[in-house]
Amino acid sequence: MTIAFVLGGGGVRGATEVGMLRALLDAGIVPQLVVGTSIGAINGAAVAQDPTLAVVDRLEKAWASPTAAAVYGENFYRQMRRLAKSRTHLNDPAALRALIADVLGESTQFSDLPVPLAVCAASIERASEHWFDSGPVVDAVLASASVPAALPPMKIGDEHFVDGGVVNSIPLGEAVSRGATTIYVLQVGRIEEPLRVPDKPSDVARVAFEISRRHRFQRERAAVPAHVDLHVLPYGGGQPGDHRIGAFRRLDATHARIEAARAATAEYLAGVSGRA
């Protein structure tokens, strides 16, 4: 049996995954494989490096820290100046690199991790997904989490990479292809929230992207082989203001997200155990 944790993308909603990790580790469920995208690559790399409850405490502190607030927290005028100068992005990637390096260590290699890890990014030159599972972890995770327009593409070798959520937001199929037989999907809740026909310009792109990300996940979910035991963990419900345009910048709900996801996941796992 190979237990895999699949951690999807979702910006600051990624704090949800920290609560799920606490519930899983509290229940004695430890991964033997981790795959992640975007914010899930950051959380996933952390648990691959330290698959114990200690990593949850570190992640909780990281996502509530001033460093996390600085990732997207620059004022509007500074963002506009950077966009005018770069013509491609609003935010300085140094803050996100500092957050990732603080959690993982700047020089950590994939080969240093006790649990095998793979993270997804989108290659611009090849217009396809790329899986990093060797080399420097921080560079790979930063590539996986480089949200287009918010952050610049990450150059690794001769290629440029952007956020893995563009091509594979919840990489369930990758865990199956790497031999997982029991899979726990850690997701930020969007797949549980109903979509509505957009009635204003700001909703058009969001709804289109949600269709894209959900379509691939549902297709891969339907194709999971019968021998694979799949668990899509509940996120515990949304937080006030989640649907606002600037919601991706809100860190004030971090602890509430973590606790809601922990409680919902703990209840789910207790039910699974009770049926066993």
Side-chain angles (χ1 to χ4, degrees):
M1 181 176 73
T2 299
I3 297 173
F5 288 2
V6 173
L7 296 95
V12 296
R13 283 196 182 195
T16 298
E17 297 172 350
V18 179
M20 294 174 176
L21 286 173
R22 182 175 291 282
L24 286 164
L25 295 170
D26 271 339
I29 301 170
V30 178
Q32 296 160 303
L33 169 69
V34 177
V35 297
T37 292
S38 195
I39 192 75
I42 301 174
N43 293 330
V47 76
Q49 184 183 56
D50 180 12
T52 72
L53 283 169
V55 78
V56 180
D57 294 331
R58 285 172 40 225
L59 285 171
E60 286 185 359
K61 291 177 182 177
W63 288 119
S65 70
T67 304
V71 173
Y72 299 118
E74 287 185 308
N75 67 59
F76 175 78
Y77 297 104
R78 182 171 294 180
Q79 288 180 323
M80 290 301 100
R81 286 197 298 270
R82 181 170 292 107
L83 179 61
K85 182 177 181 179
S86 70
R87 300 185 179 182
T88 59
H89 59 278
L90 293 166
N91 298 288
D92 185 350
L96 183 57
R97 175 178 279 278
L99 176 69
I100 297 169
D102 185 57
V103 171
L104 301 174
E106 180 66 48
S107 61
T108 300
Q109 303 284 310
F110 278 86
S111 58
D112 297 329
L113 303 175
V115 178
L117 169 71
V119 301
C120 180
S123 166
I124 292 176
E125 285 81 1
R126 289 184 288 112
S128 65
E129 70 183 60
H130 177 84
W131 284 93
F132 290 97
D133 56 13
S134 63
V137 176
V138 171
D139 284 354
V141 171
L142 183 57
S144 181
S146 291
V147 179
L151 296 168
M154 177 71 183
K155 185 177 182 183
I156 299 178
D158 295 326
E159 284 187 83
H160 296 80
F161 298 92
V162 294
D163 195 292
V166 172
V167 289
N168 200 340
S169 185
I170 305 176
L172 171 58
E174 188 67 19
V176 173
S177 70
R178 289 176 181 258
T181 54
T182 300
I183 300 175
Y184 294 91
V185 173
L186 290 73
Q187 49 85 32
V188 302
R190 290 193 175 110
I191 60 173
E192 298 181 37
E193 297 170 354
L195 288 178
R196 297 178 178 84
V197 176
D199 57 8
K200 53 183 181 290
S202 60
D203 282 343
V204 174
R206 180 185 64 82
V207 170
F209 180 59
E210 285 300 321
I211 292 171
S212 175
R213 65 189 284 151
R214 297 184 194 193
H215 167 74
R216 175 159 186 177
F217 173 69
Q218 297 300 352
R219 184 180 64 191
E220 292 189 348
R221 185 176 188 174
V224 170
H227 72 274
V228 174
D229 188 16
L230 175 63
H231 303 274
V232 180
L233 302 179
Y235 80 120
Q239 298 298 318
D242 273 352
H243 295 293
R244 296 175 184 170
I245 294 176
F248 71 93
R249 298 179 61 174
R250 294 179 61 246
L251 293 172
D252 56 304
T254 296
H255 292 300
R257 291 190 198 283
I258 290 172
E259 176 53 26
R262 184 210 61 77
T265 298
E267 182 179 3
Y268 171 84
L269 294 174
V272 172
S273 177
R275 294 192 301 268

